[in-house]
Amino acid sequence: MIRSVVLGCGSYLPERILTNSELAKKVDTSDEWIVQRTGIQQRHIAGEGEFTSHLAIKAAKAALANAGIDAQSIDLIVLATSTPDQTFPATAVAVQNALGITHGAAFDLQAVCSGFIFAMTTADSLLRTGAGKRALVIGAETFSRILDWTDRGTCVLFGDGAGAVVLEAQEGAGTTADRGVLTTHLRSDGRHKEKLYVDGGPSSTQTVGYLRMEGREVFKHAVGMITDVIVDAFAATGASAETIDWFVPHQANKRIIDASAQKLHIAPQKVVLTVDRHGNTSAASIPLALSVAVNDGRIKKGDLVLLEAMGGGFTWGSALVRW
Ligand code: UT7
């Protein structure tokens, strides 16, 4: 059977770092509160004139370099974002154009913080049907642009950044010893659509709007939803907390990550954590964390890597990948 094998990954973070102490000068918060409740110490903020596409292009180029392949061999770009440069065209075509690619397809996908898992699943499905041979899967966000910087309940949580992976369709034996995406599980439940949303949009208000969240409500559902789709991934493959090498969760809140890992009996040393340095970068958080763990030598070829995310919608999902 065809497997979507990871050839490389890369990421980009804007230069400007915003610390908790700096934030405490703008809104009624403290470094202590933010660290205790979320694990976040700092986040990166895109510069003036620096758009989601700019971050995505840099991450894509880094992923291509890491894979050691030419951009011209890419025939599919799936870009997950909730903060596109414009309502349309898709930010993915700006990336495609910057890479000088004029063949194949490029499109955006929107599933908020679960966007990367949804994009990876979509790319994997298309590669396995033969619709493409090599895909760039990108998560890129500039959430700083949709934050209400007077709302301490949300503005301390998010940051900007982008990450990308290159997938290639390769023949596999059809066992879990294969390299590549082994299983993916996606879920959505629109009954929760008002718990985390943006209060604007082209069709409703003709404005961009600001992020609104009932943090406690999101928190309440997060661990259960995350662990459900991971149990599904384990059931589909026979993998377990013991057999996975790395757990790379969406980075929203250290308390959610710790509680999910604990519930699943995943050893703390297998958990890749970047929320302290990146904050919640929505669809970019997983490929950013993957890049960190690949670059520092933790994730190696052949390792079994478990990914998960949960976010606005609600949407949630998991992916099990042999690197
Ligand atoms: O990417 C996926 C989507 N997002 C998430 O996964 C986020 C999920 N939610 C969370 O991570 C947490 O709910 C938060 C970090 C947002 C909040 O933590 P919490 O422990 O649920 O706190 P809370 O909302 O229950 O608020 C506790 C107190 C409140 O004060 P009172 O009512 O107890 O007097 C808040 O007003 O903390 C107050 N508070 C703050 N204090 C200082 C809220 N935000 C802040 C702040 N600094 N930034």
Side-chain angles (χ1 to χ4, degrees):
M1 70 181 288
I2 295 175
R3 296 287 196 190
S4 307
V5 175
V6 178
L7 295 185
C9 68
S11 62
Y12 179 76
L13 288 159
E15 270 172 41
R16 162 97 168 102
I17 291 172
L18 179 63
T19 63
N20 292 347
S21 320
E22 277 180 85
L23 265 172
K25 289 178 194 147
K26 293 186 189 180
V27 285
D28 182 17
T29 188
S30 65
D31 177 49
E32 193 193 6
W33 190 96
I34 302 171
V35 171
Q36 253 179 25
R37 300 286 178 132
T38 71
I40 299 167
Q41 291 173 8
Q42 60 167 55
R43 69 288 293 144
H44 291 249
I45 303 291
E48 211 185 309
E50 193 172 35
F51 303 159
T52 294
S53 64
H54 302 140
L55 310 186
I57 291 160
K58 286 183 171 152
K61 285 182 175 169
L64 291 169
N66 181 252
I69 63 158
D70 190 84
Q72 289 309 320
S73 66
I74 297 292
D75 48 17
L76 176 66
I77 300 175
V78 186
L79 188 150
T81 189
S82 298
T83 46
D85 290 9
Q86 296 156 273
T87 303
F88 76 81
T91 302
V93 300
V95 176
Q96 187 200 31
N97 185 45
L99 295 175
I101 305 170
T102 53
H103 60 272
F107 61 93
D108 286 1
L109 181 152
Q110 204 269 82
V112 206
C113 294
S114 312
F116 186 77
I117 300 285
F118 278 62
M120 186 178 239
T121 302
T122 302
D124 173 48
S125 305
L126 287 167
L127 291 183
R128 285 193 291 108
T129 63
K133 183 81 180 122
R134 277 181 178 170
L136 258 173
V137 184
I138 306 170
E141 305 276 17
T142 47
F143 259 51
S144 64
R145 304 270 155 73
I146 55 163
L147 294 176
D148 173 353
W149 288 98
T150 65
D151 174 16
R152 68 176 184 174
T154 54
C155 77
V156 304
L157 304 174
F158 296 90
D160 301 337
V165 302
V166 178
L167 294 179
E168 181 181 69
Q170 291 183 8
E171 199 60 43
T175 72
T176 52
D178 286 348
R179 287 188 65 212
V181 178
L182 301 178
T183 193
T184 57
H185 297 266
L186 303 182
R187 296 288 310 278
S188 307
D189 184 346
R191 282 177 299 177
H192 303 287
K193 69 186 173 65
E194 258 117 59
K195 295 189 175 107
L196 172 49
Y197 66 100
V198 165
D199 62 4
S203 182
S204 53
T205 59
Q206 298 83 56
T207 61
V208 172
Y210 292 104
L211 184 147
R212 306 292 173 204
M213 176 169 73
E214 291 175 41
R216 215 175 303 187
E217 278 296 307
V218 179
F219 199 112
K220 211 172 75 188
H221 288 88
V223 177
M225 289 177 163
I226 289 163
T227 50
D228 273 0
V229 279
I230 291 175
V231 168
D232 289 346
F234 286 164
T237 55
S240 67
E242 285 76 41
T243 62
I244 62 157
D245 294 294
W246 302 107
F247 178 42
V248 186
H250 167 53
Q251 310 281 321
N253 185 320
K254 186 173 183 295
R255 283 156 61 211
I256 295 175
I257 295 172
D258 288 348
S260 305
Q262 206 174 2
K263 194 170 166 196
L264 292 156
H265 305 293
I266 297 172
Q269 61 269 23
K270 291 184 178 181
V271 181
V272 175
L273 262 184
T274 52
V275 69
D276 53 336
R277 285 158 287 160
H278 301 170
N280 181 350
T281 57
S282 188
S285 89
I286 292 174
L288 272 163
L290 282 171
S291 288
V292 168
V294 166
N295 287 335
D296 67 19
R298 271 180 290 176
I299 297 180
K300 292 178 290 294
K301 204 169 170 177
D303 282 356
L304 196 53
V305 183
L306 174 65
L307 315 177
E308 65 77 8
M310 182 266 181
F314 292 148
T315 55
W316 64 109
S318 66
L320 190 67
V321 183
R322 189 170 298 283
W323 206 257

